[in-house]
Amino acid sequence: MKRIAITERPDWQEKATEYGFRFHTMHGEPYWCEDAYYQFTLPQIDYLEDTTQELHQMCLQVVEKVVESEALLTKFRIPKHTWDFVRNAWKTSQPSLYSRLDLAWDGQGNARLLENNADTPTSLYEAAFFQWIWLEDQLKAGNLPVGSDQFNSLQEKLIERFTALHQQHGFSWLHFACCRDTDEDKGTVQYLQDCATEAGLPSEFLYIDEIGLGEKGQFTDIHDQVISNLFKLYPWEFMLREMFSTKLEDAGVRWLEPAWKSILSNKALLPLLWQMFPNHPNLLPAYFAEDNPPSMDKYVVKPLFSREGANISIVENGQKIAHVDGPYGEEGYIVQQFHPLPKFGDSYTLIGSWLIDDRPAGIGLREDRDLITQDLSRFYPHTFIE
């Protein structure tokens, strides 16, 4: 795994505009970066693919355990009035779309799972589409070694998955929704909608706050059409606590992601994984903060519902050495043994390993000068060579 400097495409910003990549720069700071790229070997990519598959299957075993236990549903802070809703989504095998595992790895030794973004992962468009365009352009320009490839079948697998949802799971129409005022979320959702269209699945976009409640308890769109299938880039931990959460079970909606993803996207997953698979080479010791965890010289404190690094702290010898503010924490915390991200130059690098329909499908890399990766951490493309 190498970080290699490369000449930027002279027209990449124009291409970003042309392709609707509106969040390549955020708050005056670069988000998409191509002054360098990460190069892997084929055996390293094979390792990432196998590790991602194994970790994902382990995570699904956690879901199976949690839905059978009221004590664990409580531990995961799943509201009691939604237990049957979450449980039934798993028992009836409600289909899922995608997820992303965040891994710490420098190309040698064992990759370590930091967390599972299984409900509302972003950075999909840039991983699936824009870094592939970069690869094609740089190969054409002769700026990459001959034979360079990319671990990236994301778009192909997304279209396959939407085709299966349409033809095999009876999704005749799919609504897509996200919150207002976030270019990244809307860009992610519109990209997914494009993939659904390519698969022949009709769809419509609306904002979360435009979803209404019909007279018969069904959710409706702005045209008063009943919503039967909904992809929502909106966290389950919010939905399960809102006023309409009492209507979720009877609304007749098939959700993407399904409600059982509320277990996978919860940081409580990490202590459960460590309990069920102790000393697994791809896991880090993790414990519920409320359970008097063993002392560790250096560890990370994470709220159960944290996103984009919010409210995460790193503690070394009793002193907080890094912290990100945010709105989370009331739900409780876990502690996870600290594992350093690999450092290239002055930046730390995180690998996001994607799955589509339970299958590994590609990676995206993020860099940050701080120890905690956040929403504005820079995205870099990658290649691999034989």
Side-chain angles (χ1 to χ4, degrees), residues 142-245:
N143 292 332
L144 291 171
V146 175
S148 293
D149 203 345
Q150 193 173 86
F151 179 28
N152 186 2
S153 59
L154 281 160
Q155 183 160 303
E156 171 191 325
K157 284 188 169 68
L158 282 167
I159 294 169
E160 284 178 10
R161 184 55 172 158
F162 280 123
T163 300
L165 291 171
H166 185 34
Q167 297 179 357
Q168 297 165 27
H169 294 275
F171 281 62
S172 57
W173 187 277
L174 182 58
H175 284 82
F176 286 85
C178 69
C179 293
R180 296 180 190 270
D181 304 323
T182 163
D183 287 340
E184 185 178 7
D185 284 8
K186 190 169 184 183
T188 300
V189 170
Q190 288 181 326
Y191 172 66
L192 285 168
Q193 192 175 8
D194 287 345
C195 291
T197 300
E198 190 74 19
L201 174 54
S203 64
E204 184 167 337
F205 175 84
L206 75 165
Y207 289 108
I208 287 287
D209 60 25
E210 293 176 328
I211 297 173
L213 195 62
E215 291 180 5
K216 297 179 180 179
Q218 296 165 308
F219 293 120
T220 57
D221 65 15
I222 55 175
H223 308 296
D224 292 326
Q225 288 181 304
V226 171
I227 296 173
S228 300
N229 306 296
L230 178 63
F231 174 89
K232 43 84 191 159
L233 200 70
Y234 188 68
W236 273 116
E237 66 262 20
F238 293 172
M239 289 182 64
L240 297 182
R241 284 161 174 75
E242 291 176 355
M243 197 186 319
F244 67 75
S245 62

Side-chain angles (χ1 to χ4, degrees), residues 274 285-289 291-299 335 337:
W274 187 247
Y287 310 91
F288 290 98
D291 291 347
N292 297 316
S295 62
M296 293 178 275
D297 291 339
K298 196 170 185 179
Y299 58 91
V335 295
Q337 186 180 77

Side-chain angles (χ1 to χ4, degrees), residues 1 38 40 100-105 112-115 117 341-342 344 347-353 363-368 371-374 377-380:
M1 179 178 172
Y38 284 86
F40 295 83
R100 190 190 78 229
L101 304 181
D102 284 347
L103 304 174
W105 195 51
R112 301 300 182 109
L113 176 68
L114 299 184
E115 57 189 59
N117 298 277
L341 291 172
F344 294 85
S347 293
Y348 301 94
T349 303
L350 177 74
I351 298 174
S353 189
I363 57 173
L365 289 97
R366 306 279 299 278
E367 274 191 9
D368 205 299
L371 283 167
I372 301 171
T373 307
Q374 301 173 56
S377 301
R378 301 176 301 282
F379 189 103
Y380 276 84

